[in-house]
Amino acid sequence: MMANEIPVRTPPGPEVLSSAQLATDQLGKQILAGNYQYSLAKMYPRWKRRAAKQNGGMESLLKALEGIQEKMRKHGITMLSFEAKKPTSGHEVWLENKSYGQWMVFVPTLTRYRVVDAKTGKVLRIEREGYQIALRDKTSSEWTFMDGGNTSLKDLRSLFPTLPMDVKVLKLPPVGEREVAQ
């Protein structure tokens, strides 16, 4: 292998994909319960450092996360449910010494919200499709996360330059929201 060649990737097995889905489901349950410190603790470390730097430090980042629940309440938004779905794909990342050291798994999520329009009092139900980027060292069982809806492909490539270049190979889950019947 030449010095700048990227080794062939091995796709993750079903146990890795299942583990990522279960960990994402646990993350969602904690957020649903208002435990934003859990989400900060489970944020991918390199992404967390970047987010902290952009938000004026780790304490400011934690305050921003804790403020989300209050902002939602002020705007009449209540999170009703969170569901982690079957992963769309997984990839080996973090190339070091000619081998990959981490798994990256794209886990689609479905979050349901209730929104009360402050002006009319009308209650809307919203479903939001998104995804979590679950990451773990191959030698660990602990998953960390990046919110796919708030992470650009450019951000991902800056952290993981060996990601497949073809977006079709990445199989990113869809992101969007829609109003649903009561």
Side-chain angles (χ1 to χ4, degrees):
M1 175 173 17
M2 302 292 281
N4 60 355
E5 280 188 58
I6 297 174
V8 174
R9 288 180 171 80
T10 303
E15 69 287 345
V16 171
L17 298 175
S18 175
S19 175
Q21 183 179 359
L22 288 172
T24 303
D25 191 60
Q26 179 63 26
L27 174 72
K29 286 178 181 171
Q30 292 296 319
I31 292 170
L32 192 60
N35 186 357
Y36 291 97
Q37 287 191 351
Y38 183 88
S39 67
L40 184 62
K42 291 295 184 178
M43 191 180 291
Y44 182 65
R46 291 172 60 220
W47 188 243
K48 186 190 313 186
R49 284 192 297 273
R50 186 180 284 184
K53 189 175 181 179
Q54 292 171 344
N55 282 280
M58 200 59 72
E59 285 206 22
S60 294
L61 178 60
L62 180 58
K63 284 180 182 175
L65 286 173
E66 288 174 344
I68 290 172
Q69 194 171 19
E70 184 59 30
K71 284 180 188 173
M72 287 175 61
R73 193 176 7 262
K74 281 183 180 178
H75 290 96
I77 302 169
T78 306
M79 190 171 161
L80 300 173
S81 66
F82 177 94
E83 180 183 352
K85 297 181 170 256
K86 184 178 176 183
T88 56
S89 68
H91 305 277
E92 290 179 304
V93 294
W94 199 248
L95 185 58
E96 203 167 32
N97 299 323
K98 298 184 180 179
S99 66
Y100 294 103
Q102 293 180 338
W103 291 115
M104 173 187 281
V105 178
F106 296 110
V107 183
T109 59
L110 180 64
T111 310
R112 291 180 179 91
Y113 297 93
R114 182 177 63 104
V115 180
V116 179
D117 185 309
K119 292 177 184 169
T120 65
K122 183 180 177 187
V123 176
L124 306 173
R125 297 221 183 260
I126 306 293
E127 282 187 349
R128 183 178 191 282
E129 287 183 301
Y131 64 97
Q132 288 291 320
I133 303 162
L135 296 129
R136 80 161 203 218
D137 288 340
K138 286 184 168 184
T139 58
S140 172
S141 61
E142 292 295 315
W143 290 95
T144 58
F145 301 92
M146 296 169 60
D147 181 356
N150 294 320
T151 308
S152 71
L153 195 51
K154 181 180 175 184
D155 290 332
L156 269 183
R157 292 201 191 288
S158 73
L159 291 171
F160 305 99
T162 61
L163 272 178
M165 291 308 292
D166 187 347
V167 178
K168 291 177 187 168
V169 172
L170 289 178
K171 297 183 182 172
L172 300 175
V175 175
E177 62 184 33
R178 64 187 178 97
E179 185 178 346
V180 294
Q182 300 284 337

